[in-house]
Amino acid sequence: MTRRTLAVVSAGLGQPSSTRLLADQLATAARDELVRRGAEVEIRPVELREHAHDVVNHLLTGFPSAALREALDTVASADGLVAVTPIFNASYNGLFKSFFDVVEKDALADRPVLIGATGGTARHSLALEHAVRPMFAYLRAVVVPTAVFAAPEDWSGDGVEGALRARIRRAGGELAEQVDRRPTAPGPADPFALTTSFEDLLAGRDPA
C-alpha cells in the first residue's frame, strides 16, 4: 500500500476558525479519495497562527525556530498541499503570504496544491483567482482547477451539505488525482548531508 502525506496549511487568526474548518474538510475529501484508490494517508496540519511570531523572526534573522522548521519541513515533504487563507482587503492575509515567503526555494515545484479561502462575503471569492492562484503558480506548484471559497452563508442551513459540499468533494478529488499520479515525495533536503564521499574528501577530489 502506497503511503501518502497531505500538509494542511490554514492561516485563520481566530479560534474557532472557519478557515481551519474549511481546510480540514478539503483535506478529508482528498484523503477519502486517496484511500479509495488504495493509499494509506496521513494528514499533517500546520496552523499558522501558532507560528506567527516565529515567521516574523525568520524574516528578520533568516533562521527558523525548531517549531517553524518542523512546519516548513512538513510542507516540503508532503505529497500534496491544502492551503487555505482568510481574505483581507481582497487578498490573502499577511501571515499566509509571509509563511510562503520563507518556504525554501523550489520546495513546491511540481507539488499538487488545493487552494481555498474564507471571507465575509461571496464577492471576495475572486481573490482566489487573482491573488492566491498566481502566488502558487509563481512557486511552480500544480494548482488543481477547483478552488473553494466559503462565505458565512455557506456554513448555515443546508449550505455545507449542498453547493459547498459538492465543491469540496470535487476539489478533493482533483488533488487526490494529482497526488496519485506522482511518485512519493522525497522529503526535504538535508542541509548537512554530505555531497562528497569521505574517500573523495581525503583524496582531495570534488565530483562537483
Side-chain angles (χ1 to χ4, degrees):
M1 179 178 289
T2 305
R3 193 170 188 273
R4 299 292 192 173
T5 59
L6 297 176
V8 185
V9 174
S10 58
L13 302 182
Q15 283 187 321
S17 167
S18 60
T19 302
R20 173 65 188 270
L21 176 61
L22 177 60
D24 287 345
Q25 293 194 3
L26 290 169
T28 298
R31 180 198 63 194
D32 290 349
E33 177 59 22
L34 283 168
V35 169
R36 190 186 70 77
R37 292 166 178 254
E40 179 184 349
V41 183
E42 179 185 359
I43 293 176
R44 298 176 178 173
V46 177
E47 194 159 2
L48 296 188
R49 74 184 304 276
E50 298 175 356
H51 303 285
H53 291 93
D54 289 340
V55 169
V56 173
N57 288 338
H58 186 11
L59 287 169
L60 295 173
T61 67
F63 296 99
S65 66
L68 180 58
R69 176 77 270 159
E70 183 178 354
L72 292 169
D73 286 347
T74 293
V75 170
S77 63
D79 295 291
L81 172 65
V82 174
V84 184
T85 177
I87 299 301
F88 293 166
N89 297 324
S91 187
Y92 36 65
N93 72 1
L95 181 56
F96 187 82
K97 179 61 165 62
S98 295
F99 176 78
F100 286 102
D101 281 346
V102 299
V103 169
E104 287 80 355
K105 182 179 180 293
D106 298 329
L108 296 181
D110 198 40
R111 191 65 47 84
V113 178
L114 191 172
I115 58 174
T118 58
T121 170
R123 292 193 299 273
H124 292 315
S125 61
L126 290 176
L128 278 165
E129 301 303 328
H130 73 67
V132 183
R133 189 181 295 275
M135 185 188 81
F136 284 104
Y138 176 81
L139 296 172
R140 297 192 293 121
V142 178
V143 186
V144 302
T146 301
V148 181
F149 182 87
E153 57 267 25
D154 290 313
W155 302 110
S156 61
D158 296 328
V160 173
E161 298 303 324
L164 177 60
R165 176 60 62 186
R167 294 200 304 273
I168 289 171
R169 283 197 301 266
R170 183 170 68 246
E174 290 171 357
L175 180 63
E177 170 67 25
Q178 290 295 328
V179 169
D180 188 50
R181 67 198 303 179
R182 285 170 168 75
T184 303
D190 182 356
F192 302 106
L194 291 174
T195 57
T196 305
S197 70
F198 281 112
E199 290 78 8
D200 285 335
L201 287 172
L202 290 172
R205 297 191 298 269
D206 186 352

